Amino acid sequence: MEIHVLAVGALQTNCYLIDTGAGNAIIVDPGANPGGILEFLSREHLRPVYLIYTHGHYDHIGATTPLRQAGAKAILPREDRDLFLNPALIGAGLFTHFRGYTPEEPDLLCGEGDKVELDGLRLTFLHTPGHSKGSSVLMGDGVLFTGDTLFAGGCGRTDLYGGSEQQLNASLKRLAALEGDYQILPGHGPQSMLSVERITNPYLGTSYDDIF
């Protein structure tokens, strides 16, 4: 598995392109710039198979339509179906990079514990609501695609449609309690490690005394 990242759109959403090693690709959060994503896939001789979303906010789904037309199937947390079909719930019409998106039913709705597998690669959905109703973390081999639930040094906002500060706090505590260490691949900003976030991120609710 090889993971590439493109920062796309006005909000610089991290779009992750996963090369499975067999000529296929999984795209996590195709937020904008479908032309750039398709150009990368063509250059690397990769076929887009799955589009997987950590949540349904417009800045994470904006490049969906052209990529589905290229043959990829859209896989979405089920609680964010309403956002996927009606991005204007959080004001998507204000952003020009969202033009070209056609609301259509996703190919598959997923929830807690569901798995997506391709060429020996497995991603497992962890439902981590708070930023949105359906916000999820995708757990792979040593990696967590955390969307807008957990950032390096921060966490997602809760003041948009479907957000909940109480739920987000519980989701962050759940991530902090995971066994072992993981590379954190967030929806925006730099990457990190869970071991670092447990110590340095005030939103995880841990301290040095909790770790050592």
Side-chain angles (χ1 to χ4, degrees), residues 52-64:
I52 308 181
Y53 309 89
T54 59
H55 62 295
H57 285 167
Y58 64 86
D59 58 316
H60 290 252
I61 68 174
T64 292

Side-chain angles (χ1 to χ4, degrees), residues 7-198:
V8 298
L11 300 185
Q12 291 291 278
T13 301
N14 289 330
C15 170
Y16 296 99
L17 301 103
I18 307 172
D19 180 350
T20 68
N24 295 316
I26 295 174
I27 303 171
V28 177
D29 289 343
N33 192 15
I37 295 171
L38 288 168
E39 180 182 352
F40 176 89
L41 294 171
S42 176
R43 186 170 65 248
E44 298 296 323
H45 305 289
L46 295 173
R47 180 174 71 96
V49 177
Y50 295 131
L51 310 173
I52 308 181
Y53 309 89
T54 59
H55 62 295
H57 285 167
Y58 64 86
D59 58 316
H60 290 252
I61 68 174
T64 292
T65 299
L67 293 171
R68 293 182 85 174
Q69 292 170 348
K73 295 186 180 301
I75 302 176
L76 179 80
R78 62 173 49 91
E79 292 86 356
D80 276 0
R81 175 180 172 272
D82 51 355
L83 286 167
F84 199 74
L85 297 178
N86 185 13
L89 287 170
I90 60 166
L94 298 175
F95 291 82
T96 57
H97 71 283
F98 198 73
R99 294 172 184 167
Y101 177 83
T102 301
E104 294 180 325
E105 289 284 353
D107 295 286
L108 183 65
L109 294 172
C110 285
E112 173 68 27
D114 287 337
K115 297 174 174 56
V116 178
E117 300 188 41
L118 180 66
D119 300 330
L121 169 67
R122 175 185 294 176
L123 294 176
T124 302
F125 275 82
L126 305 180
H127 185 212
T128 55
H131 179 63
S132 72
K133 293 185 291 184
S135 282
S136 298
V137 167
L138 304 174
M139 175 185 285
D141 184 12
V143 299
L144 295 174
F145 297 91
T146 58
D148 289 6
T149 296
L150 175 64
F151 302 133
C155 66
R157 60 192 293 182
T158 60
D159 59 336
L160 298 173
Y161 172 83
S164 166
E165 183 177 353
Q166 183 178 7
Q167 287 184 327
L168 183 60
N169 287 338
S171 294
L172 292 170
K173 288 181 179 179
R174 178 188 183 187
L175 294 179
L178 291 175
E179 294 185 5
D181 200 8
Y182 291 87
Q183 184 181 12
I184 301 299
L185 302 176
H188 302 272
Q191 301 176 16
S192 186
M193 297 296 297
L194 185 58
S195 56
V196 173
E197 297 306 306
R198 288 189 184 112

